[in-house]
Amino acid sequence: MRKYGIADTTFSRVNMASVAIETIKETDPGSKIERYTVPGIKDLPVAARKLIELGCDGVITLGWVGKTMLDKYSYLASSIGLITVQILTMKHVIDVTVHEDEAEDEDKLKDIAIDRTEKHAKNLVYLVRDGKEALTSFAGKGLRQGYKNAGSLD
Amino acid sequence: MRKYGIADTTFSRVNMASVAIETIKETDPGSKIERYTVPGIKDLPVAARKLIELGCDGVITLGWVGKTMLDKYSYLASSIGLITVQILTMKHVIDVTVHEDEAEDEDKLKDIAIDRTEKHAKNLVYLVRDGKEALTSFAGKGLRQGYKNAGSLD
Amino acid sequence: MRKYGIADTTFSRVNMASVAIETIKETDPGSKIERYTVPGIKDLPVAARKLIELGCDGVITLGWVGKTMLDKYSYLASSIGLITVQILTMKHVIDVTVHEDEAEDEDKLKDIAIDRTEKHAKNLVYLVRDGKEALTSFAGKGLRQGYKNAGSLD
Amino acid sequence: MRKYGIADTTFSRVNMASVAIETIKETDPGSKIERYTVPGIKDLPVAARKLIELGCDGVITLGWVGKTMLDKYSYLASSIGLITVQILTMKHVIDVTVHEDEAEDEDKLKDIAIDRTEKHAKNLVYLVRDGKEALTSFAGKGLRQGYKNAGSLD
Amino acid sequence: MRKYGIADTTFSRVNMASVAIETIKETDPGSKIERYTVPGIKDLPVAARKLIELGCDGVITLGWVGKTMLDKYSYLASSIGLITVQILTMKHVIDVTVHEDEAEDEDKLKDIAIDRTEKHAKNLVYLVRDGKEALTSFAGKGLRQGYKNAGSLD
């Protein structure tokens, strides 16, 4: 039975995990989900690693990043960490990050968070369940998460 | 018996470790604490690693960062290091960092340091003692350490 | 039989993999190609690693990067990850990246993507098939991918 | 017998190693010192690693950094490397860095270099010889190296 | 017999490897040289690693970096990679990098490239052949490669 990991934070202003759980259940019914909640984005890499040790076939992390330069440095450090976890475990850790400065409007920000989570939760299922060519028909299509697709230049 | 590690610095202008010790003792009475004091933030990753080797189930690091661009680069390098330690050991290393430019006022800066340490010391205990869903009821709630909570957009 | 890996993204606005496939087939007829499509650049390092585990002798990654500072930080994190994969596996992972701000004009952007992919796909074949001095006659020649060559100052 | 490593550079404009040697000899008489001189800061991580392989219980690195953005990126890369060495070896590598733009005046720059080296050489001895609580009485005291202490806010 | 590795690029506008080869042959006659030419700086870390696997006692990498912010991020990622290679292999990888924005004038740029390569090729030989104190008599002397020496402040 496939098992998906969800790592989320108390720093986030939207409960993105509930969106991820619902999406995964709809997209891969019968799969199992493990959830790990940490304070902030810098705690996500170890949570992802531990979820993989618990048998997860792939993980989605749900980060929320503040507006300052220091928040951005924390984002950079976390991103490097999440990539390192993937390299070491050879499992996908799909990184959903919402930056507080992506939108002035709070409703808009919430919409971004939900859309990005839904789309990436599906991406995770496709990659874990269907393998390396699951997304190939969408390659180069300019897909965006949190925004409308940019589209292909072909 | 659970054991917590505390790594702090002589660079810091507030004795945050005393706050962390008190908070851990109150939150998890009967637990053991190991402390490691180093000069500055770039020394924290190895201190955290050594504390884990001494049997700590989790570590809180208490960093203080100056105002210059170089201090910020040191913060970035240290953050990458702390995340690497967590990935390698699969233990939480909760990173409390106070930046000197977070407040003009020294009293305010001290308040930030104390609040952030208290809240993250509790986070560490919850994660170490109660596991991966200990914080799940607060997921997406916009919790902040050092400031008042931003709150949920849900 | 030589095997090449191609890792591409759904974020990209040009189907660069089709260019890479064609170029590799022309340059090294009879070789085998494995393709891995992921959402975005931060997913490329694990895809490259997995392609190498599938027996690829070398990999080309085809990334597309947005215009914001955060996109650039993601580029940095991904680059560090791709280099780490190479160091650990001792296989080449040639990184083709197109930045949306390289050209105002969409046609120009597509031209850059195609040219860069073609040239680097050939570079990958030369290195994998012919070894460490395959490119030596071009050393110091100021070759560019996506642009016309800068040329030698000698 | 304790052994300390000193890694310094030919790029530096002050012979900081002579200060470090003198300070270590005074602070821990009878200890042994190994010295490794490299061209610049990016060569310090491997020098530190090799000194530890030679049996050093801890290392002090003495870097000097130019004024340009590229020098700062080199500083960042070197800092990440020095932290990685510590994480892998579990030995302290205390990093003394002088930035050419810390002072306009060359005499002042030299004073910074000497003061910072002296204080951190002592820190190294205290940590290596006396262990993890050797500096605890100075925790949160706002100690500075190269400048006068900032002091405690408590 | 000592063996030196040279990793260079087709991106570079000066054939720095020919300078390195000549300098190494003059400085350590009878030594062996292995050369690895790659497209650009991000390919240098794996080339250095592979040269070390081929038995090289040390490596010199000859990078050339463009003028944009993205080129600088690539420089940062490559530098981290080259340092990682050194930490893992415990061999020196001396990094010669020329930045296109170091000089307006192309002749000047070429002069920088040649001077820097010559001096660092000698540094590599000294370190590999004569060990950790080979450069100690120049420690703190403010040596520069590509420019005239800054000199000592002592």
Side-chain angles (χ1 to χ4, degrees):
Chain A
M1 190 173 56
R2 277 179 297 277
K3 189 152 70 170
Y4 299 95
I6 297 175
D8 64 343
T9 73
T10 64
F11 187 93
S12 171
R13 301 188 64 192
V14 173
N15 189 341
M16 293 187 274
S18 66
V19 178
I21 291 169
E22 197 178 338
T23 306
I24 292 172
K25 282 188 173 164
E26 276 172 27
T27 315
D28 192 6
S31 64
K32 204 164 174 302
I33 291 174
E34 297 272 358
R35 183 172 177 182
Y36 205 127
T37 307
V38 294
I41 51 167
K42 291 194 289 181
D43 308 303
L44 288 173
V46 72
R49 177 79 149 113
K50 291 173 86 161
L51 284 166
I52 291 167
E53 293 303 309
L54 288 171
C56 291
D57 301 295
V59 172
I60 187 165
T61 60
L62 305 166
W64 190 276
V65 181
K67 298 178 182 186
T68 71
M69 174 55 79
L70 292 168
D71 294 315
K72 303 319 182 192
Y73 280 180
S74 299
Y75 166 71
L76 177 54
S78 303
S79 297
I80 293 171
L82 290 170
I83 289 170
T84 302
V85 169
Q86 293 176 79
I87 293 173
L88 294 179
T89 63
M90 278 189 274
K91 303 287 184 199
H92 280 287
V93 179
I94 303 272
D95 173 20
V96 173
T97 313
V98 178
H99 292 268
E100 287 223 48
D101 41 346
E102 283 191 80
E104 283 303 307
D105 184 54
E106 295 194 339
D107 286 343
K108 175 76 184 128
L109 208 53
K110 188 175 168 182
D111 289 348
I112 291 174
I114 291 171
D115 184 70
R116 191 167 290 159
T117 303
E118 273 178 4
K119 289 178 177 169
H120 272 319
K122 286 180 188 166
N123 281 334
L124 179 65
V125 170
Y126 299 152
L127 287 171
V128 166
R129 186 186 61 197
D130 306 326
K132 70 192 173 48
E133 299 198 16
L135 298 174
T136 296
S137 58
F138 302 103
K141 294 297 188 198
L143 301 193
R144 296 294 178 269
Q145 297 80 33
Y147 299 102
K148 69 184 176 69
N149 294 333
S152 169
L153 301 184
D154 291 326
Chain B
M1 192 173 56
R2 276 179 298 278
K3 188 151 70 170
Y4 298 96
I6 297 175
D8 65 343
T9 74
T10 65
F11 187 93
S12 171
R13 302 187 64 193
V14 173
N15 190 341
M16 293 186 275
S18 65
V19 177
I21 291 169
E22 197 178 339
T23 306
I24 292 173
K25 282 187 173 165
E26 276 173 27
T27 315
D28 192 6
S31 64
K32 203 163 175 302
I33 291 174
E34 298 272 358
R35 183 171 178 181
Y36 204 127
T37 307
V38 293
I41 51 168
K42 291 194 289 183
D43 308 303
L44 288 173
V46 72
R49 177 78 149 112
K50 292 173 87 162
L51 285 166
I52 291 166
E53 293 303 309
L54 288 171
C56 292
D57 302 295
V59 173
I60 187 165
T61 61
L62 305 166
W64 190 275
V65 181
K67 298 178 183 186
T68 71
M69 173 55 78
L70 293 168
D71 293 315
K72 304 317 181 193
Y73 280 180
S74 298
Y75 167 71
L76 177 54
S78 303
S79 297
I80 293 170
L82 290 171
I83 288 171
T84 302
V85 169
Q86 293 177 79
I87 293 172
L88 295 179
T89 63
M90 278 190 272
K91 303 289 184 198
H92 281 287
V93 178
I94 303 272
D95 173 20
V96 174
T97 312
V98 178
H99 292 268
E100 288 224 50
D101 41 346
E102 283 191 80
E104 284 302 308
D105 184 53
E106 296 194 339
D107 285 343
K108 175 76 183 130
L109 208 54
K110 188 175 168 182
D111 289 347
I112 291 173
I114 291 171
D115 184 69
R116 190 167 291 159
T117 303
E118 275 178 4
K119 288 178 178 169
H120 271 319
K122 287 180 189 167
N123 281 334
L124 179 65
V125 170
Y126 298 151
L127 287 170
V128 166
R129 186 186 61 197
D130 306 326
K132 70 191 172 49
E133 299 199 15
L135 297 175
T136 296
S137 58
F138 302 103
K141 295 296 188 198
L143 302 193
R144 295 294 179 269
Q145 297 79 32
Y147 299 103
K148 68 185 176 71
N149 294 334
S152 170
L153 301 184
D154 292 325
Chain C
M1 192 172 57
R2 277 179 296 277
K3 189 152 69 171
Y4 299 95
I6 297 175
D8 64 342
T9 73
T10 65
F11 186 94
S12 171
R13 302 187 63 193
V14 173
N15 189 341
M16 293 186 275
S18 66
V19 178
I21 292 169
E22 198 178 339
T23 306
I24 291 172
K25 282 187 174 164
E26 276 172 27
T27 316
D28 192 6
S31 64
K32 204 165 175 301
I33 291 174
E34 298 271 358
R35 183 172 177 180
Y36 205 127
T37 307
V38 293
I41 50 168
K42 291 194 289 183
D43 308 303
L44 288 173
V46 71
R49 177 78 148 112
K50 291 174 88 162
L51 285 166
I52 291 167
E53 292 303 309
L54 288 171
C56 292
D57 302 294
V59 173
I60 187 166
T61 61
L62 305 166
W64 190 276
V65 181
K67 299 179 183 186
T68 70
M69 174 56 79
L70 292 168
D71 294 315
K72 303 318 181 192
Y73 280 179
S74 298
Y75 166 72
L76 177 54
S78 303
S79 297
I80 293 171
L82 290 171
I83 289 170
T84 302
V85 169
Q86 293 176 79
I87 294 173
L88 294 179
T89 63
M90 278 189 274
K91 302 288 183 198
H92 280 287
V93 179
I94 303 272
D95 173 21
V96 173
T97 312
V98 178
H99 293 268
E100 287 223 49
D101 41 346
E102 284 191 79
E104 283 302 308
D105 185 53
E106 296 194 338
D107 285 343
K108 175 77 185 127
L109 208 54
K110 189 175 167 182
D111 289 348
I112 291 174
I114 291 171
D115 184 70
R116 191 167 291 160
T117 304
E118 274 178 4
K119 289 177 178 169
H120 272 319
K122 286 180 189 167
N123 281 334
L124 179 64
V125 170
Y126 299 151
L127 287 171
V128 166
R129 187 186 60 197
D130 306 327
K132 68 192 174 50
E133 299 199 15
L135 298 174
T136 296
S137 58
F138 303 103
K141 295 296 189 198
L143 301 193
R144 296 293 178 270
Q145 297 80 31
Y147 298 102
K148 68 187 176 70
N149 294 334
S152 169
L153 301 184
D154 292 325
Chain D
M1 193 174 57
R2 275 180 299 278
K3 189 151 70 170
Y4 298 96
I6 297 175
D8 64 343
T9 74
T10 64
F11 187 93
S12 170
R13 301 187 66 193
V14 173
N15 190 342
M16 293 186 276
S18 66
V19 178
I21 292 169
E22 198 178 338
T23 306
I24 291 172
K25 282 188 173 163
E26 277 172 27
T27 315
D28 192 6
S31 64
K32 204 164 174 303
I33 291 174
E34 298 272 359
R35 182 171 177 182
Y36 204 127
T37 306
V38 293
I41 50 168
K42 291 194 289 182
D43 308 302
L44 288 173
V46 71
R49 177 76 148 113
K50 291 173 87 162
L51 285 166
I52 291 166
E53 293 303 310
L54 288 171
C56 292
D57 301 295
V59 173
I60 187 166
T61 62
L62 305 166
W64 189 276
V65 182
K67 299 179 183 187
T68 71
M69 173 55 78
L70 293 168
D71 293 315
K72 303 318 180 192
Y73 280 178
S74 299
Y75 167 71
L76 176 54
S78 304
S79 297
I80 293 170
L82 291 171
I83 289 170
T84 302
V85 169
Q86 293 176 78
I87 293 173
L88 294 179
T89 62
M90 277 190 273
K91 303 288 184 199
H92 280 288
V93 179
I94 303 271
D95 174 20
V96 174
T97 312
V98 178
H99 292 268
E100 287 224 49
D101 40 346
E102 284 192 78
E104 284 302 307
D105 184 54
E106 296 194 338
D107 286 343
K108 174 79 184 124
L109 208 54
K110 189 176 166 182
D111 289 348
I112 291 173
I114 291 172
D115 184 71
R116 191 167 290 159
T117 304
E118 274 178 3
K119 289 178 178 170
H120 272 319
K122 287 180 189 166
N123 281 334
L124 179 65
V125 170
Y126 299 151
L127 287 170
V128 166
R129 186 187 61 198
D130 306 325
K132 70 191 174 48
E133 298 199 16
L135 297 174
T136 297
S137 58
F138 302 103
K141 295 297 189 199
L143 301 194
R144 296 293 178 269
Q145 296 80 32
Y147 298 103
K148 68 186 177 69
N149 294 334
S152 170
L153 301 184
D154 292 325
Chain E
M1 191 174 56
R2 277 180 297 279
K3 190 153 69 171
Y4 298 96
I6 297 175
D8 64 343
T9 74
T10 65
F11 187 93
S12 171
R13 302 187 64 192
V14 173
N15 190 341
M16 293 186 275
S18 66
V19 178
I21 292 169
E22 197 178 339
T23 306
I24 291 172
K25 282 188 174 164
E26 277 172 27
T27 316
D28 192 7
S31 64
K32 205 164 173 303
I33 291 174
E34 298 271 358
R35 183 172 178 182
Y36 205 127
T37 306
V38 293
I41 51 167
K42 290 194 289 182
D43 309 303
L44 288 173
V46 71
R49 177 79 148 112
K50 291 173 88 162
L51 285 166
I52 291 166
E53 293 302 310
L54 288 171
C56 292
D57 302 294
V59 173
I60 187 165
T61 61
L62 306 166
W64 190 276
V65 181
K67 298 180 183 186
T68 71
M69 174 54 79
L70 293 168
D71 294 314
K72 303 319 181 192
Y73 281 179
S74 299
Y75 167 71
L76 176 53
S78 303
S79 297
I80 293 170
L82 290 171
I83 289 171
T84 302
V85 169
Q86 293 176 79
I87 293 173
L88 294 179
T89 62
M90 278 190 273
K91 302 288 183 198
H92 280 287
V93 179
I94 303 271
D95 173 20
V96 173
T97 311
V98 178
H99 293 268
E100 288 223 49
D101 41 346
E102 283 191 78
E104 284 302 307
D105 185 53
E106 296 195 339
D107 286 342
K108 174 77 184 128
L109 208 53
K110 189 175 166 182
D111 289 347
I112 291 174
I114 291 172
D115 184 70
R116 191 167 291 159
T117 303
E118 275 178 3
K119 288 178 177 170
H120 272 319
K122 286 180 189 166
N123 280 334
L124 179 65
V125 170
Y126 299 152
L127 287 171
V128 166
R129 186 186 61 198
D130 306 326
K132 69 191 174 47
E133 299 199 15
L135 297 174
T136 296
S137 58
F138 302 103
K141 295 297 189 198
L143 300 194
R144 296 293 178 270
Q145 296 81 32
Y147 299 102
K148 68 185 176 71
N149 293 334
S152 169
L153 300 184
D154 291 326

